[in-house]
Amino acid sequence: MNLIEVKNLKTYFFSDEGEVNKAVNNVSFEIPQGKTVCIVGESGSGKSITAMSIMQLIDHPGRIVGGEIILEESNLLKLSDAQMRKVRGRDVAMIFQEPMTSLNPSYTVGYQIDEALRLHHKELNKQQRFDKVVEALDLVGIPDPKEKYGEYPFKLSGGQRQRVMIAIAMACEPKLLIADEPTTALDVTIQAQVLDLMKKLQDETGTSILFITHDLAVVYQIADEVVVMYRGHIVEKASAKELFENPKHPYTKALLNSIPKPGVTPRKSRLDTVDDTVDYLSFPKEIR
Ligand code: ADP
Ligand code: MG
């Protein structure tokens, strides 16, 4: 069963000169309950704007000009601002690439997890919230969670800060977790640990995940379903297994050639594989 269905989403940016940048151009995909869908594509292909559209965090000069975002039968695009504020954090939570910009440097990590609980779980008292915060820190693998409650973000490593962001996002047990390049700033070992953690939390809670990355190696580790974006369009959609075993769209094939194959050395640069002179939109879409 699908948790969320994005249908014909269009998000455009309007310049003062009257130009229109169709950042997200008629995008449709579904996220099944408890599964991980990856959006993959190069920088500027519209991945983040798709995520921000689901959260309805698009600011001027951008605007959602069409489509539907159906979360359990209600169209999020029809909700009032007040209703949408409740959806954010409670039903849909988001984590970003750079945790230092989303964590507040002036508050302890415990306080910031507690804040999410105060906002969305008014039924919990102070002691219950404290226990839940410590449990959340423990769950994301922060050592000595009781002591770390009172720690400020700058005292933590990059990997630990990203774990805290995940703890904040998961504290309210969202139905959908959107993660926009959450591991891009981390080294490969820590990245693998954070991906494992997200998978483990998903197994325990049944949360659906929309995971955004430009890195097919990350897709390989975490995706159930894959959506390939190119210049605001979806060019290919398939299960992870199908996509890696039998990529159909020329753009997907080009992207796949840019990741190292086991036993084959060095990583090729993007320029060798994705050809800037090719208009990949001229090929038929491969939606499976
Ligand atoms: P990515 O796939 O790298 O996440 P984005 O979704 O951020 O790409 O961007 C998609 C397109 O939207 C790009 O062409 C980008 O220039 C444009 N865009 C993003 N944010 C803005 C903005 N605030 N104003 C104008 N254009 C924007
Ligand atoms: Mg982005």
Side-chain angles (χ1 to χ4, degrees), residues 169-214:
M170 296 301 291
C172 295
E173 294 158 25
K175 294 168 183 162
L176 175 65
L177 176 66
I178 302 178
D180 189 354
E181 311 256 9
T183 59
T184 302
L186 305 175
D187 74 49
V188 177
T189 317
I190 308 295
Q191 170 173 294
Q193 288 171 7
V194 171
L195 294 178
D196 282 347
L197 167 67
M198 292 182 68
K199 270 210 169 306
K200 185 182 123 211
L201 291 177
Q202 182 175 51
D203 285 345
E204 285 166 12
T205 60
T207 300
S208 303
I209 297 177
L210 179 60
F211 195 103
I212 290 173
T213 178
H214 65 276

Side-chain angles (χ1 to χ4, degrees), residues 219-237:
V219 176
Y220 190 78
Q221 285 177 64
I222 197 158
D224 296 305
E225 306 280 333
V226 188
V227 167
V228 182
M229 278 190 83
Y230 172 72
R231 294 193 189 165
H233 293 264
I234 292 178
V235 293
E236 180 154 3
K237 203 159 65 173

Side-chain angles (χ1 to χ4, degrees), residues 51-59 64 84 88 94 96:
M52 299 294 266
S53 299
I54 295 174
M55 295 297 277
Q56 286 181 58
L57 294 173
I58 300 291
D59 290 323
I64 300 174
M84 194 55 213
R88 266 183 237 122
M94 185 158 173
F96 300 90

Side-chain angles (χ1 to χ4, degrees), residues 49-284:
I49 299 301
T50 300
M52 299 294 266
S53 299
I54 295 174
M55 295 297 277
Q56 286 181 58
L57 294 173
I58 300 291
D59 290 323
H60 181 82
R63 192 152 45 85
I64 300 174
V65 298
E68 291 175 293
I69 298 170
I70 312 288
L71 177 74
E72 294 182 326
E73 286 166 17
S74 79
N75 183 358
L76 297 185
L77 297 183
K78 297 269 189 244
L79 299 183
S80 67
D81 289 352
Q83 287 171 317
M84 194 55 213
R85 264 196 300 279
K86 284 194 182 149
V87 168
R88 266 183 237 122
R90 189 195 57 192
D91 295 328
V92 186
M94 185 158 173
I95 52 177
F96 300 90
Q97 177 175 339
E98 196 15 84
M100 244 353 229
T101 57
S102 4
L103 282 174
N104 189 328
S106 328
Y107 293 102
T108 66
V109 299
Y111 181 87
Q112 294 185 63
I113 301 172
D114 186 61
E115 198 173 26
L117 292 173
R118 271 199 320 274
L119 203 60
H120 296 285
H121 285 280
K122 296 198 165 46
E123 76 283 3
L124 299 176
N125 67 31
K126 213 171 163 197
Q127 181 63 44
Q128 288 170 320
R129 289 202 317 267
F130 179 82
D131 293 343
K132 255 192 172 303
V133 171
V134 172
E135 191 188 304
L137 285 169
D138 188 40
L139 199 65
V140 297
I142 301 272
D144 311 316
K146 270 197 176 131
E147 282 148 48
K148 285 291 182 341
Y149 187 105
E151 206 73 276
Y152 288 88
F154 71 89
K155 297 265 263 182
L156 306 179
S157 69
Q160 286 187 339
R161 284 201 287 265
Q162 201 51 290
R163 285 166 189 268
V164 169
M165 285 310 299
I166 293 171
I168 292 173
M170 296 301 291
C172 295
E173 294 158 25
K175 294 168 183 162
L176 175 65
L177 176 66
I178 302 178
D180 189 354
E181 311 256 9
T183 59
T184 302
L186 305 175
D187 74 49
V188 177
T189 317
I190 308 295
Q191 170 173 294
Q193 288 171 7
V194 171
L195 294 178
D196 282 347
L197 167 67
M198 292 182 68
K199 270 210 169 306
K200 185 182 123 211
L201 291 177
Q202 182 175 51
D203 285 345
E204 285 166 12
T205 60
T207 300
S208 303
I209 297 177
L210 179 60
F211 195 103
I212 290 173
T213 178
H214 65 276
D215 187 346
L216 274 164
V218 170
V219 176
Y220 190 78
Q221 285 177 64
I222 197 158
D224 296 305
E225 306 280 333
V226 188
V227 167
V228 182
M229 278 190 83
Y230 172 72
R231 294 193 189 165
H233 293 264
I234 292 178
V235 293
E236 180 154 3
K237 203 159 65 173
S239 73
K241 190 172 186 298
E242 283 174 313
L243 191 100
F244 284 99
E245 282 177 3
N246 184 19
K248 291 210 162 144
H249 197 279
Y251 180 72
T252 313
K253 291 179 186 171
L255 272 186
L256 274 167
N257 280 329
S258 69
I259 62 167
K261 294 176 186 66
V264 183
T265 32
R267 178 184 281 254
K268 286 193 211 159
S269 81
R270 175 208 178 252
L271 292 176
D272 292 340
T273 54
V274 176
D275 186 344
D276 281 329
T277 65
V278 173
D279 176 12
Y280 288 99
L281 293 178
S282 63
F283 298 96

